[in-house]
Each structure stands twice: as structure tokens, then as C-alpha cells.
Amino acid sequence: MILRDPVHGLVDFEGPDEKTVETLLATREVQRLRRVRQLGLTSLVFPGAEHSRFSHAIGAAHVMVRLQKRIRHVQSALPPELRLDDEARRDALAAALLHDLGHGPFSHLYEQVMPGARHHEAWTVDALRSEDTEIHAALERLSKGMSERVSSLLEGTHPIGYLCRTVSGRWE
């Protein structure tokens, strides 16, 4: 699958990555991101500043693929518990693509103007774990237990800590 990203240009997802991305993109929850503005109200001042959370998700998944290619080159130098197997690779790609599912309208601005609002990460994890969502069903079709593993990456509790930090800056 080849897509055009506004930041990275042409991006491709091949082999198992293509199946993962294609399956997740087909869900209602990911498609909803097309209507969530990445830049909040910025486009009201700068009309060309049009960017959606959907575009951002594609770019984040692309960057994860690039990171994983780099990690493959140094894999033998990592301790065994920090090496990426196929499952961890697939989970990290899904986490990168899905990390912003819980964003409300106008992105971070929504959280700032709503006193006591939950962070979008919490809403994202709720959607991944809920058996009532298309995204949960899609993850479980890809691999049994994947929704929980991807959630653990977003919450910072996954055994490979550096993967958590790649999808959420909150876990430092």
C-alpha cells in the first residue's frame, strides 16, 4: 500500500505491515480521525494549515516502520528481552497508528478548554479495550490479545519500555 503523506511524501506499508495498516484503517474509529483537526483552530488564522489526526496517524505509522528498520540493524546488540519479534513489531505499528484515537474535536485544544477532561490517551485505551468497537475487533482478528498489548504500549506498561516512549511521550 502506498499513500501520500503531507509531511513525508509517499509512504509505503509492505508485507505484514500492509495487512495491519489496511485492517486498522478500515475501522470506524480510525476513519473518524479524518474529521479531527490536528492543529486545533490554527486554520482560522492560517487557512493553509489543514491537517487531520488521520494524516498524523499515517505519518506516525510510517515513522514507526522506519524506526523498526533501524532497530533491525542493531538488533543483535540489544539484550534479548529488548529485541523486536514479529508480534512486538506489529503491536508497535498498530500503537503508532492508533495512538490518537481518543482525541476530541480540535485536538489538544479540546482537553485544555474542558475542565477536568480526561486525556485523549485514556479515551484511546478505552476504545481499544471495548469489545463494542470496530477497532477492538480488528486488533483481535489480527492477533489474539493484540488490543491489550497495544493498550499496554500506550499506557507505558509494555515490557519493551523504549517502544512505549516511541508512541507516547508521557512515559519518560
Side-chain angles (χ1 to χ4, degrees):
M1 167 191 311
I2 299 174
L3 302 169
R4 177 166 294 283
D5 179 80
V7 175
H8 302 286
L10 290 178
V11 300
D12 63 311
F13 300 99
E14 299 176 333
D17 293 345
E18 181 173 15
K19 180 182 179 192
T20 300
V21 171
E22 212 168 66
T23 299
L24 299 177
L25 288 181
T27 65
R28 177 184 330 210
E29 293 84 8
V30 174
Q31 289 300 310
R32 174 191 158 276
L33 295 176
R34 291 180 182 274
R35 298 184 309 275
V36 178
R37 293 176 182 261
Q38 169 82 5
L39 303 174
L41 300 173
T42 305
S43 64
L44 296 176
V45 178
F46 301 99
E50 292 289 340
H51 194 59
S52 69
R53 283 283 162 186
F54 182 84
S55 305
H56 171 70
I58 299 291
H62 168 68
V63 170
M64 179 58 74
V65 169
R66 290 180 59 191
L67 173 66
Q68 290 178 1
K69 284 180 184 174
R70 183 68 191 123
I71 290 171
R72 238 179 312 218
H73 291 293
V74 299
Q75 185 98 320
S76 60
L78 292 172
E81 67 274 9
L82 296 180
R83 294 180 187 163
L84 299 182
D85 59 13
D86 289 342
E87 182 178 89
R89 282 183 63 259
R90 189 174 46 249
D91 293 347
L93 174 60
L97 184 68
L98 304 175
H99 76 281
D100 278 343
L101 279 187
H103 266 294
F106 303 109
S107 216
H108 288 283
L109 181 62
Y110 181 78
E111 293 172 9
Q112 293 169 358
V113 299
M114 297 293 292
R118 294 175 71 205
H119 288 279
H120 69 277
E121 292 95 342
W123 289 109
T124 299
V125 170
D126 285 353
L128 298 179
R129 287 187 171 137
S130 172
E131 293 182 10
D132 297 330
T133 62
E134 288 182 15
I135 197 65
H136 176 85
L139 288 166
E140 293 302 309
R141 274 194 316 274
L142 286 167
S143 174
K144 182 86 173 115
M146 189 174 187
S147 58
E148 190 55 43
R149 294 190 308 270
V150 172
S151 294
S152 74
L153 281 163
L154 297 173
E155 292 176 317
T157 59
H158 191 275
I160 304 177
Y162 70 87
L163 280 183
C164 298
R165 290 185 296 278
T166 64
V167 293
S168 178
R170 292 180 355 148
W171 316 112
E172 309 230 358

